[in-house]
Amino acid sequence: MKITSTSCICPVLVCLCFVQRCYGTAHHGSIKVTKNQTKHIEGETEVHHRPKRGWVWNQFFVLEEHMGPDPQYVGKLHSNSDKGDGSVKYILTGEGAGTIFIIDDTTGDIHSTKSLDREQKTHYVLHAQAIDRRTNKPLEPESEFIIKVQDINDNAPKFTDGPYIVTVPEMSDMGTSVLQVTATDADDPTYGNSARVVYSILQGQPYFSVDPKTGVIRTALHNMDREAREHYSVVIQAKDMAGQVGGLSGSTTVNITLTDVNDNPPRFPQKHYQLYVPESAQVGSAVGKIKANDADTGSNADMTYSIVNGDGVGVFSISTDKDTREGILSLKKPLNYEKKKSYTLNIEGANTHLDFRFSHLGPFKDATMLKIIVGDVDEPPLFSMPSYVMEVYENAKIGTIVGTVLAQDPDSANSLVRYFINYKAEDERFFNIDANTGTIKTSKVLDREETPWYNITVAASEIDNPDLLSHVTVGIRVLDVNDNPPELAREYDIVVCENSKPGQVIHTISATDKDDFANGPRFNFFLDEHLSVNPNFTLKDNEDNTASILTRRRRFSRTIQDVYYLPIMISDGGIPSLSSSSTLSIRVCACERDGRVRTCHAEAFLSSAGLSTGALIAILLCVVILLAIVVLFITLRRSKKEPLIISEEDVRENVVTYDDEGGGEEDTEAFDITALRNPSAAEELKYRRDIRPEVKLTPRHQTLSTLESIDVQEFIKQRLAEADLDPSVPPYDSLQTYAYEGQRSEAGSISSLDSATTQSDQDYQYLGDWGPEFKKLAELYGEIDSERTT
């Protein structure tokens, strides 16, 4: 039994359908089912037949992007067991089954319910099965088949890397490759022409072209000049369907820049130039600039300048500024208007990086002529030497000639020149100069040992133009004369041991001289010839500017003589020679056997007394302690307590502080305790204890009768009035404090001590109105009250 689907109607698939029918194979929705049978005969063994495949599948096809109102028909499933009575049920499972693809379980027709996109999913794998509706048993084994999404041209080509920026050298040959662009199409490249792309150029002709198949962009003209046009914008289009009508297209922009090559030689704008340079220009300074133009850029425009000939080749030089590409003209020698008024130079500018492909365009260099005019300038005087060195002896008389400087006016006028020394205000002036002749003389006596060298600056100016100055340095060396005698190099501490032997060297001395080497060493050491021979020591000249002191006898004693004095003489090698005398002090000390000094006369005295260093320190400490005790004792005896009142004539107010614990009964004279009681209490009048009263005291009973009716406030006023009228009161205020609690309260005492003896007429029956709780309280108080009354 054969089943076909509507997909065989498509003219493209007619041949395929014919082949599938001939071979009994399902193709594009066709199914051939061969029923497998197993026969059972009673009494016979079971016979197994080789099962045959009942489902043979090929791919189903469904068009993508289906936009119709009805579901798209895909194909049909059919089994040989299906008699058309509806007993066979077809089941579809797998990818998209029930959602994208639905099946009529009776007829086996498959439809697509959604619009599919091949670029998202190219095919779906499904499984088909035929079962018996009554028994729900499979009639055929489950088989797998594929539904392939058939492509349509729904994607335009795209340039994923655009826009492009690319360069190509100028003057390139026609057909030089510039760039290859590539467009991609998401459609199926294996089906039809939907993904077959061709390239074309929309903008950029006739300068560039593009290969329609490969997308390679090439130059389309010869000798494209960057100096004429540098930037180009080329638009490339990619179209699918092999460029046929109805195909989709996309475009991109390619920005092409021509890079520079050295195809332009340098050129001077003018063939003749003129430059003015004053004769006062400094050697090494830049005096002018010149530049040749080059249409190229970068390293292709680099050039060097040179002076090829002319009469100023040795006077001027030229260098190249790499940033500005200018020729910098500098002065090699000084100019002199009076000797030469103009120079001529031939200057050449040439490229440094040559491209031999363009050598046919001519030499890549150019030349011009430069005429330099020397300007006359009034110049300052010119010294005959760049610097001077002069010499003069120290101690020379004031006015001694040191030397002469000479300067002249270099101009043709030859003006007279005046000289002077540049001194600062704080400088000490040792020299002066003749303003007309330039002769330098001393103005003070010089001392080489203080300042051996002087540097002064001499200025010269024209008389007619004093503002034009020139300066020169003059160094004056002060020559030495032998004016300083030699002297010992330092103070020597010479020691001789008591156990020394005759001829023993005890010390070596040396000398110095402030004069220079010619008038100083060599030094001669000797003893004074006018003195008698020293029996104890002698002096030996070592002839190396040192001398040794030797002993002449054996053993010395500190107890007999502890210090010896040795006068010596020292002379220098100057002409005439100078000498000086010095006296050396030699101490006698006790030494060890190896010659080390053990002690000298000061320590020897202490040792003879039998006192050690520790004992001496203990004695001194005791003396200091005794002195401290004596001083402390004297200080304590002289100290006394200051009086409370410094002077009776001191009328200032004083606050007296008593820092003691009290004096017992003696304090009763200073404080009357009755003042704190009720003023109604009996009290006698008391006067100040520091002044003996001269008035007659009032009897006590009179005072008591007076105070019975006085309140505290009135009591204090009365006391204040008595103090004011008392002639014996000192002329300063006295502060008294009365700690009085006040008179008796009208309410009486609140104490309950006397409550048992006090009669009460209080009625507590009103407490019952407050509630049951207070009624019991009223009864209790009422019973107590009645008992008290009884």
Side-chain angles (χ1 to χ4, degrees), residues 36 73 111 187 236 264 292 297 349 367 464 494 529 549 555 696 754-755:
N36 297 330
Y73 181 75
H111 290 81
D187 293 325
I236 303 296
N264 293 279
T297 60
D464 299 336
I494 304 174
E529 297 177 355
I549 301 174
R555 293 191 175 277
K696 186 176 181 180
D754 265 350
S755 60

Side-chain angles (χ1 to χ4, degrees), residues 84-146:
D85 54 359
S87 61
V88 178
K89 181 181 180 181
Y90 297 97
I91 299 175
L92 185 66
T93 59
E95 295 179 337
T99 56
I100 299 176
F101 303 103
I102 59 175
I103 187 171
D104 188 327
D105 59 356
T106 302
T107 62
D109 293 330
I110 301 174
H111 290 81
S112 172
T113 61
K114 295 183 179 179
S115 177
L116 303 181
D117 188 356
R118 189 202 66 85
E119 286 69 41
Q120 293 183 359
K121 189 171 180 64
T122 58
H123 65 278
Y124 296 84
V125 179
L126 297 119
H127 298 85
Q129 192 174 24
I131 63 174
D132 192 334
R133 287 183 184 273
R134 295 185 298 273
T135 62
N136 203 24
K137 292 183 179 181
L139 299 176
E140 303 291 343
E142 183 181 79
S143 296
E144 181 181 272
F145 67 98
I146 295 174

Side-chain angles (χ1 to χ4, degrees), residues 245-453:
V245 177
L248 303 177
S249 63
S251 62
T252 187
T253 301
V254 181
N255 296 311
I256 302 175
T257 301
L258 298 183
T259 57
D260 184 62
V261 297
N262 192 9
D263 59 340
N264 293 279
R267 291 289 180 263
F268 285 101
Q270 299 175 208
K271 292 299 179 182
H272 295 85
Y273 291 90
Q274 185 169 308
L275 180 64
Y276 173 84
V277 179
E279 63 174 337
S280 60
Q282 299 294 321
V283 174
S285 62
V287 296
K289 297 179 181 179
I290 193 169
K291 184 177 182 180
N293 297 328
D294 194 322
D296 297 323
T297 60
S299 61
N300 296 317
D302 291 342
M303 65 184 73
T304 57
Y305 297 90
S306 60
I307 301 175
V308 293
N309 54 38
D311 55 1
V313 174
V315 182
F316 298 92
S317 64
I318 193 168
S319 60
T320 304
D321 189 327
K322 295 182 179 180
D323 296 330
T324 62
R325 297 188 178 92
E326 294 177 327
I328 309 299
L329 195 67
S330 302
L331 188 63
K332 292 174 61 178
K333 295 181 179 180
L335 301 177
N336 193 334
Y337 173 81
E338 288 73 25
K339 293 182 179 180
K340 190 172 180 61
K341 296 179 175 57
S342 65
Y343 296 89
T344 300
L345 300 175
N346 289 326
I347 299 177
E348 182 182 83
N351 282 142
T352 55
H353 304 284
L354 300 179
D355 193 338
F356 295 101
R357 295 178 301 169
F358 308 103
S359 57
H360 62 279
L361 299 178
F364 282 77
K365 59 183 178 180
D366 195 17
T368 187
M369 187 180 70
L370 175 63
K371 184 177 182 180
I372 300 174
I373 306 299
V374 180
D376 186 21
V377 177
D378 189 6
E379 301 174 89
L382 181 65
F383 284 96
S384 59
M385 297 178 64
S387 63
Y388 295 86
V389 177
M390 302 176 182
E391 295 179 345
V392 63
Y393 281 99
E394 66 174 332
N395 301 328
K397 296 180 180 180
I398 297 175
T400 301
I401 296 176
V402 180
T404 303
V405 296
L406 178 63
Q408 292 181 345
D409 183 11
D411 299 323
S412 57
N414 197 16
S415 300
L416 295 178
V417 177
R418 297 185 64 85
Y419 305 91
F420 58 93
I421 299 175
N422 280 346
Y423 278 120
K424 296 180 181 179
E426 65 275 9
D427 291 344
E428 190 174 358
R429 305 188 178 190
F430 290 92
F431 306 94
N432 55 35
I433 190 170
D434 190 305
N436 297 319
T437 63
T439 301
I440 301 174
K441 299 180 181 180
T442 60
S443 59
K444 290 185 178 182
V445 177
L446 306 178
D447 186 1
R448 188 202 68 85
E449 286 72 37
E450 183 178 350
T451 307
W453 192 277

Side-chain angles (χ1 to χ4, degrees), residues 609-629:
L611 294 177
S612 63
T613 304
L616 180 62
I617 294 175
I619 293 172
L620 293 176
L621 183 61
C622 291
V623 172
V624 171
I625 293 173
L626 289 175
L627 290 176
I629 293 173

Side-chain angles (χ1 to χ4, degrees), residues 20 142 173 335 343-344 361 391 491 511 554 667 722 746:
Q20 77 177 16
E142 183 181 79
D173 295 335
L335 301 177
Y343 296 89
T344 300
L361 299 178
E391 295 179 345
E491 293 184 3
R554 183 187 301 274
D667 287 345
E722 291 176 357
E746 295 180 358

